[in-house]
Amino acid sequence: MRATRNTITRLAVVLLALWPALVSAQPVSADDYRAFWLWSGVTPKPALAKAQEVFLLAGEVTARGITSQRGATPRVKTSKVWIVYRVQTLDWPPGAMENILRHVAAWQDAGNDMAGLQIDFDSGTRNLGSYVAFLRDVRAKLPSELKLGITGLLDWGANARAADLAALHGVVDEVILQIYQGRRVIPGYQNYLVRLQKLNVPFRVGLLEGGGWSAPGNLAADPMFRGYVVFLVNGAGR
C-alpha cells in the first residue's frame, strides 16, 4: 500500500507540473520569437527581419563527404548567424572538417556576424558518450571565437547517463532540445522537459512553427534555460 501511495504522489507532482501545458498548448507563431532555423527551400518569413539569431543549413555530412545545401554564401546583415551541418554519421571522411572550416571562413569574409557552428545529429542516448568524444575533437579544431552548438533529443535529459551529460560541459556551448520530429510535435514532450536536472549546459527548446507548444511551469526557473529557436516551415501561419 505504501508503494502505491508513493507512486500516486509522484504522479500527482508530475501532473501538477504539466497541467498548464496540457490545457493551454497554442500553435507557435514565428512573430513571437527572435531565433530561427531556416532551411533551403523555405520561404523567408517577415519575422526574420527582427531576428536576433538565424541558423542556416549549409550542408549535410555523410560517409561520402559533404553535400552543399546552399547555392551561394549568405549575407545576413541584421542578426547573428549559425552555420549548421546536418550529420548522418560520425565517421567523417578525410578533409570534412577542413571543408567546414573553409565554409565558416567564407561566411565570415562575406560580412556575416558568425555566432558559431551547430551540429545537427540525432545521437542515440546510449551512444552519447561516443558523441561527446567526437564533439571534443570538433571543438579543438574550431576557432576559439566561435561557439559550438548541437541539437539534442528529449530523451537525453530523462535517460542518459549522468556522466555522459556532465561530459558535455566545457565541450559544447549550448544544446537545443527539439520537441518535434520531422513535421510533427512529439506527444508528451512536457514529461521530458520537467526532467532536465541532469543537463548541466545551457539549453534552448526547439519549436516547430505552427506546432503546439506550452511551457511546463518549471522551465523558466531552470538556471540553464536560454529560450527558444523556431524551425520555420512553408505554409505555417497562413
Side-chain angles (χ1 to χ4, degrees):
M1 180 63 72
R2 181 175 298 174
T4 300
R5 288 176 179 172
N6 289 341
T7 299
I8 293 173
T9 299
R10 289 195 297 269
L11 179 60
V13 170
V14 171
L15 287 175
L16 284 172
L18 296 179
W19 182 249
L22 292 173
V23 300
S24 60
Q26 297 294 324
V28 172
S29 171
D31 292 333
D32 296 332
Y33 299 90
R34 295 294 179 264
F36 306 98
W37 280 293
L38 181 61
W39 264 212
S40 57
V42 176
T43 303
K45 309 294 178 74
L48 287 169
K50 297 181 180 180
Q52 296 173 351
E53 293 174 280
V54 290
F55 294 73
L56 301 179
L57 181 65
E60 183 174 39
V61 183
T62 69
R64 295 183 178 181
I66 297 178
T67 301
S68 176
Q69 301 291 330
R70 194 163 291 277
T73 300
R75 289 172 171 80
V76 180
K77 302 300 182 183
T78 58
S79 58
K80 287 186 173 295
V81 176
W82 288 81
I83 186 170
V84 183
Y85 285 87
R86 177 65 184 154
V87 173
Q88 298 295 342
T89 177
L90 300 184
D91 186 17
W92 285 14
M97 187 62 196
E98 289 70 20
N99 283 337
I100 287 175
L101 293 177
R102 282 193 286 270
H103 294 163
V104 171
W107 285 30
Q108 289 176 313
D109 291 344
N112 296 293
D113 185 4
M114 299 297 295
L117 164 69
Q118 183 184 72
I119 302 295
D120 181 13
F121 177 66
D122 296 333
S123 173
T125 304
R126 293 182 178 181
N127 300 322
L128 186 55
S130 297
Y131 186 35
V132 174
F134 167 85
L135 291 168
R136 189 174 290 112
D137 184 61
V138 172
R139 172 72 271 178
K141 295 175 181 176
L142 194 65
S144 59
E145 70 271 15
L146 296 179
K147 295 179 179 180
L148 176 60
I150 60 173
T151 58
L153 304 182
L154 290 177
D155 187 62
W156 290 3
N159 296 313
R161 291 185 292 267
D164 291 340
L165 289 174
L168 286 168
H169 182 73
V171 177
V172 301
D173 294 285
E174 71 166 25
V175 178
I176 302 181
L177 299 169
Q178 298 166 306
I179 70 158
Y180 61 90
Q181 190 171 38
R183 297 297 183 269
R184 181 182 68 93
V185 174
I186 298 171
Y189 67 81
Q190 302 96 338
N191 190 40
Y192 290 95
L193 292 176
V194 298
R195 300 167 65 187
L196 292 175
Q197 296 87 351
K198 293 186 295 183
L199 190 60
N200 66 341
V201 296
F203 73 92
R204 291 192 260 185
V205 176
L207 306 177
L208 178 67
E209 185 185 13
W213 165 252
S214 184
N218 69 329
L219 183 62
D222 192 310
M224 292 296 174
F225 176 61
R226 299 293 187 269
Y228 303 95
V229 180
V230 175
F231 187 84
L232 298 175
V233 298
N234 287 327
R238 294 181 180 176

